[in-house]
Structure formats: structure tokens, C-alpha cells
Amino acid sequence: MTETDLCRDEREEMVEFQIRARGVRDQRVLAAMRKIPRHLFVPKGFERAAYEDRPLPIGEGQTISQPYIVAVMTEQLELKPQDRVLEIGTGSGYQAALLVELAGTVISVERLRDLADRAQQNLARAGVTGVRVVVGDGTQGYSPEAPYNAIIVTAASPDIPGPLIEQLAEGGRLIAPVGPRDCQDLIKLVKREGRVEKIPLGGVCFVPLIGQFGWRGEGYP
Ligand code: SAM
């Protein structure tokens, strides 16, 4: 048995009791969460906690999000196999691993090089290919590969960064936590005929999105 095969029962329980029981029904999302070995995306010593109903620290003051929140955000992206997806905030690489299971192209931007390097190691260890990790300020999006059918922001900002709305394709979906530093509203934005519709999805608490079109933080590169 490889390390990727471990914890199948824990994953099944996570999907059944934390995710499906709370209303996430997209079969492709549930299957992806059953498949991706979350324990390979947490720091050493936290493997046993990887399937618990909570976020976990991943170093540098950052977190891997609670499985249920990851599931809701992924479901709301309504991904199709040919979609181009941009993730802002690679963190551990776990969300990116799910995205590439469900879509065609995944680009993930992380501002902290150490985390970006670790995420790439985690993805390789989990046998996940096809995610392109870019180090930079994700509040500016990633224009060389735009437009995107879906954009997911996994850190919170006072408003949705303008460049991300510009880089969203017609018919595209964007999910982002928006609001004050401590807790925010999860917002879904859909672009139709050049106009954007905003749908609130509920309250969340995310780490800050630090950059030109987000929060201005100390140590910003
Ligand atoms: N999606 C991640 C996962 O699956 O582990 C969790 C992301 S963690 C909640 C938020 C991440 O956003 C952190 O790794 C943080 O360094 C990153 N971040 C914050 N501001 C950023 C920015 N302007 N551009 C790119 N990444 C940023």
C-alpha cells in the first residue's frame, strides 16, 4: 500500500459526515474529496488531524481550510472538465489538487515562496500533475493565461480585486471571502454579458489576502 492509499476510511467519513450531510451534493466534488489524500498536504505531526472538521496550520501563519469550506467553494465553482481555473492562495496545494481533478487547466498563485515550494512537493508526493504554481501577488491575477472560466480566492480581502473580475471569462464564476480582517462573507460572482451578479453564500473566517488590491501587510514582497 502506498502513502496515497492510506486513510481511505477517514476520507470517506469526512465526506459523509462533514460534507454530504451538510448539503454538498455535486458527485464530482465528493468523488474528488474521497480521492485526494489530504494527509499529504498538512505538516509533519498533523497527519492524524488532517480529516478533522477544522482548518489546520501549514506554517508561515497560514492555514489549510476546513474540508467543508473547501467543498462548498469547489461546488460553487461549477467546474467542467475543459475549464481554465485560477486559484489565488496555493497554501498547501490541497485545493489546487481538487481543482485539477475537476477542470482542464489550473494555475495557482502564492505570494510566499516557501509555501509555493512546499505545495509543489505535496502535489508531487500525492501524484497530482497539471497544477502550475506561480509565485507572486495574486491580487493582480495572472494575465498571461487569462481569461478564466473560474477563479477561487482562498484568502480574504476588503473587496474583490478588480483585476480578477477583469480576468474572468464570459459566463465565469468567481468565489472569494470579502470583508473585515477577522471574519467575512463568502461571495460568488457570475459574469454575464459583461455584467457581474454577486451572490452571498454565508459567513467565513479566512487569513488576509495581502497585496496591491487586497490588504497592505508587513513583509509584503
Ligand atoms: N488554498 C490553500 C490550501 O488548499 O491549502 C489554503 C490557502 S490559505 C487559507 C491562504 C493563502 O493565501 C496563504 O498561503 C497566503 O500566503 C496566500 N496569500 C495571501 N495573499 C496572497 C496574494 N496576494 N497572492 C497570493 N497568495 C496570497
Side-chain angles (χ1 to χ4, degrees):
M1 188 185 277
T2 68
E3 60 181 358
T4 312
D5 296 322
L6 295 173
C7 304
R8 281 195 187 282
D9 292 349
E10 287 87 341
R11 276 204 291 289
E12 188 59 49
E13 281 187 20
M14 172 187 83
V15 168
E16 201 51 37
F17 299 117
Q18 298 174 34
I19 297 172
R20 220 181 68 79
R22 288 179 176 142
V24 174
R25 292 295 149 81
D26 184 320
Q27 292 304 320
R28 294 181 69 229
V29 173
L30 298 177
M33 295 197 74
R34 279 191 194 100
K35 178 174 172 187
I36 300 298
R38 185 172 159 96
H39 61 279
L40 298 184
F41 292 86
V42 298
K44 268 198 181 341
F46 282 91
E47 292 88 346
R48 297 179 76 94
Y51 298 97
E52 291 177 3
D53 189 16
R54 61 185 174 113
L56 292 172
I58 55 170
E60 313 283 340
Q62 306 303 320
T63 53
I64 177 173
S65 301
Q66 179 190 9
Y68 170 65
I69 296 296
V70 174
V72 168
M73 292 175 80
T74 309
E75 182 176 55
Q76 290 293 335
L77 287 175
E78 301 173 53
L79 296 176
K80 294 179 254 336
Q82 69 281 10
D83 278 350
R84 299 171 70 74
V85 185
L86 177 68
E87 179 191 25
I88 308 303
T90 314
S92 68
Y94 176 66
Q95 174 76 72
L98 293 169
L99 296 173
V100 80
E101 192 59 29
L102 300 167
T105 304
V106 176
I107 294 168
S108 184
V109 183
E110 171 56 56
R111 71 178 268 269
L112 299 174
R113 182 171 295 280
D114 278 2
L115 284 186
D117 289 347
R118 240 176 288 155
Q120 279 172 308
Q121 289 161 16
N122 294 342
L123 288 162
R125 217 173 126 208
V128 176
T129 55
V131 176
R132 178 152 164 225
V133 178
V134 175
V135 177
D137 175 12
T139 69
Q140 300 174 25
Y142 188 69
S143 57
E145 298 284 346
Y148 302 96
N149 306 105
I151 299 179
I152 176 169
V153 188
T154 64
S157 53
D159 284 306
I160 298 175
L164 300 184
I165 300 176
E166 284 159 24
Q167 292 173 26
L168 194 61
E170 175 59 30
R173 293 82 54 201
L174 181 154
I175 309 284
V178 178
R181 277 259 188 177
D182 45 358
C183 283
Q184 310 85 25
D185 289 320
L186 192 58
I187 300 292
K188 176 175 183 174
L189 185 152
V190 182
K191 199 183 237 187
R192 286 196 191 96
E193 291 167 11
R195 300 174 62 162
V196 293
E197 181 191 356
K198 283 187 187 174
I199 306 155
L201 298 175
V204 287
C205 300
F206 272 83
V207 295
L209 181 73
I210 296 172
Q212 187 182 352
F213 298 94
W215 296 102
R216 298 302 180 99
E218 278 180 21
Y220 173 66

